Amino acid sequence: MSWQPTAALLRVSVLPAVTAVVAVLAHRPDLLAIAAPLAVAALPLVRRPGSAPAAELDVDDETPAEGSDLQAVVRLTGVAGAETVTAAVPTPGWVRSRTGRRPAGVVAPVGDHAELPFDLTAARWGRSDVGPATVSCSAAGGLLRWGPAVLPARRVRVLPVAEPHRGATLLPRARTGTGLHRSPRPGESSELNGVRVFAPGDRMRRVNWRVSLRSGELHVNATTSERNADVLVLLDARYDAGVSGGLAGRASGVDAAVRATAALTEFYLGLGDRVGLIACSSRLRQLPARGGRGQLQAVLAALLDVSAPRLGGAEPALPEPVGIDPQALVLVVSPLVGTRVFDRAAALGRGGHTVVVLDTLPDDAGPTEVGPWTAPALRLWRLERSTRIAQLTALGVPVVPWRGASSLDQTLLELTRAAARR
């Protein structure tokens, strides 16, 4: 794209020329006096730029977390001779301007370079576009214009953030003989479980000399084995409820479910467990159970594609998980809108799995359109929903409202005690 003449250039070039021709033909020297000032206005063309600018749109952080700040920068080179540079960067997603106004600005270039920074903030998780940006330059007193040039949008991946989950590390069942979870079985570990009398086979390094010298009989430290577990998170985002308002505002049911999934995944992976994910929304995403930092990044990337489908008619299907480890802890994270999520949780419970349902429905959730029958219908739906929750609880599948950290502590404690009794 090269520099183009503006309407002002046409006025200061064509109009004086036509006026001069008319003055000569009509023998009107007074018209020449009128045309002369207009011709002088074209003198800034002497300083016209020698080359066309080059522009790019850049974002300093393409994977910010919710609530964090980032900056978009429009950079131009080859603007020597330009007088003003203007740019506008629309933000149609949840990455928005900190000031609340549309990101736009004007700057005078210094030398051969120019930059227009725009302060943005990531208000909500998901994939958002920054741009496409529109850039234009003016030179020669407004007689020449470059642009408007459209710069491609930059895709930003806003990672979900929730309150760090600090809960009980109890697991009703363990998968292997090593790990970070305490087991009721005796074994070789650093988890002290009391002091007992020395028995054949005990190692001498476990001898408790203080107790032995006091009692006159050899005693050793008793320890329990350490075990880990598989955790499967079944995220149901087929229906949403409530209003999304970003991290600092109101959270819908899917917002809370995604943030809960992110918090629980980070918590259990930090303990050394293996975490798998099945996300049911407008598209199905499945991740097998794995451990490590790479699994956390994979789960967060999968959560970015979660969005409630806008479908009418029958309730969307909820796929049946296959290949679940019998010892795994299954966490069903859902706003509990619809009936198939209750059926799926009940089927997993009847199949012998340890299942806990996390209810992420906001307390003030309701329909956006209000009519004369809205209140009775909402009350009837909540009664039906409460009945289904009671049926799940009676079946042995606890339903826990998600309230952030420590939401699962009491439930996991009761399930662990029940597993120990069995």
Side-chain angles (χ1 to χ4, degrees):
M1 181 181 297
S2 59
W3 290 94
Q4 301 294 329
T6 63
L9 178 58
L10 296 179
R11 288 193 298 267
V12 300
S13 59
V14 177
L15 187 57
V18 173
T19 304
V21 171
V22 173
V24 171
L25 294 179
H27 302 284
R28 295 281 305 274
D30 56 327
L31 294 179
L32 291 176
I34 297 175
L38 295 176
V40 173
L43 290 178
L45 287 175
V46 178
R47 302 189 310 270
R48 66 176 300 164
S51 60
E56 65 173 356
L57 174 63
D58 191 20
V59 180
D60 64 346
D61 189 0
E62 294 186 347
T63 57
E66 281 184 297
S68 60
D69 297 330
L70 63 155
Q71 191 176 70
V73 182
V74 175
R75 294 188 175 91
L76 294 96
T77 57
V79 291
E83 296 171 348
T84 61
V85 176
T86 61
V89 183
T91 53
W94 283 95
V95 175
R96 297 172 178 175
S97 173
R98 296 183 205 170
T99 60
R101 298 187 298 268
R102 180 181 180 183
V106 181
V107 68
V110 178
D112 192 51
H113 301 272
E115 287 190 359
L116 285 90
F118 302 97
D119 295 329
L120 307 174
T121 182
R124 182 179 178 266
W125 60 273
R127 302 182 189 272
S128 297
D129 286 335
V130 177
T134 304
V135 186
S136 60
C137 303
S138 65
L143 301 180
L144 296 178
R145 180 185 62 187
W146 177 84
V150 179
L151 307 181
R154 298 298 298 267
R155 178 59 64 92
V156 176
R157 301 164 60 244
V158 182
L159 302 179
V161 172
E163 178 185 357
H165 183 75
R166 297 183 179 89
T169 60
L170 298 172
L171 264 299
R173 300 179 183 179
R175 183 177 180 273
T176 64
T178 61
L180 297 178
H181 294 293
R182 181 178 177 179
S183 167
R185 297 182 180 181
E188 296 289 333
S189 76
S190 59
E191 188 68 33
L192 185 63
N193 194 36
V195 180
R196 60 176 175 81
V197 179
F198 180 86
D202 288 336
R203 299 182 180 183
M204 292 300 297
R205 63 185 179 87
R206 292 193 177 275
V207 173
N208 191 319
W209 294 106
R210 178 178 299 178
V211 177
S212 300
L213 292 175
R214 187 170 58 248
S215 63
E217 189 177 4
L218 201 60
H219 284 72
V220 296
N221 294 326
T223 57
T224 58
S225 62
E226 295 173 338
R227 310 187 310 189
N228 65 8
D230 274 9
V231 179
L232 174 65
V233 181
L234 176 57
L235 174 60
D236 172 31
R238 299 168 303 127
Y239 288 116
D240 201 356
V243 180
S244 299
L247 187 62
R250 302 169 62 186
S252 68
V254 171
D255 284 341
V258 168
R259 292 165 184 161
T261 301
L264 292 170
T265 300
E266 185 175 8
F267 174 70
Y268 283 110
L269 288 177
L271 294 177
D273 296 327
R274 291 156 38 100
V275 178
L277 173 69
I278 299 179
C280 304
S281 59
S282 55
R283 54 181 297 189
L284 178 65
R285 292 295 303 270
Q286 299 189 54
L287 295 177
R290 291 192 178 94
R293 185 71 181 179
Q295 181 70 353
L296 176 60
Q297 297 299 326
V299 170
L300 293 178
L303 293 179
L304 297 180
D305 297 323
V306 171
S307 60
R310 301 181 179 276
L311 300 176
E315 180 180 352
L318 188 62
E320 179 182 1
V322 295
I324 305 177
D325 192 294
Q327 304 281 356
L329 171 65
V330 182
L331 301 177
V332 180
V333 186
S334 170
L336 297 181
V337 179
T339 59
R340 296 192 177 183
V341 62
F342 294 97
D343 297 338
R344 181 63 60 218
L348 291 171
R350 294 191 187 98
H353 298 286
T354 304
V355 184
V356 178
V357 179
L358 293 176
D359 181 11
T360 62
L361 183 73
D363 295 334
D364 58 349
T368 55
E369 298 181 1
V370 179
W373 297 100
T374 300
L378 180 61
R379 187 161 53 251
L380 182 61
W381 173 77
R382 285 190 175 274
L383 288 173
E384 181 182 2
R385 183 175 180 273
S386 300
T387 301
R388 292 183 178 276
I389 291 176
Q391 291 174 346
L392 271 183
T393 305
L395 189 63
V397 179
V399 180
V400 182
W402 175 254
R403 296 295 182 265
S406 304
S407 296
L408 293 174
D409 287 1
Q410 185 62 32
T411 300
L412 291 179
L413 178 60
E414 295 175 358
L415 291 176
T416 302
R417 289 174 176 173
R421 289 194 296 268
R422 290 195 297 267

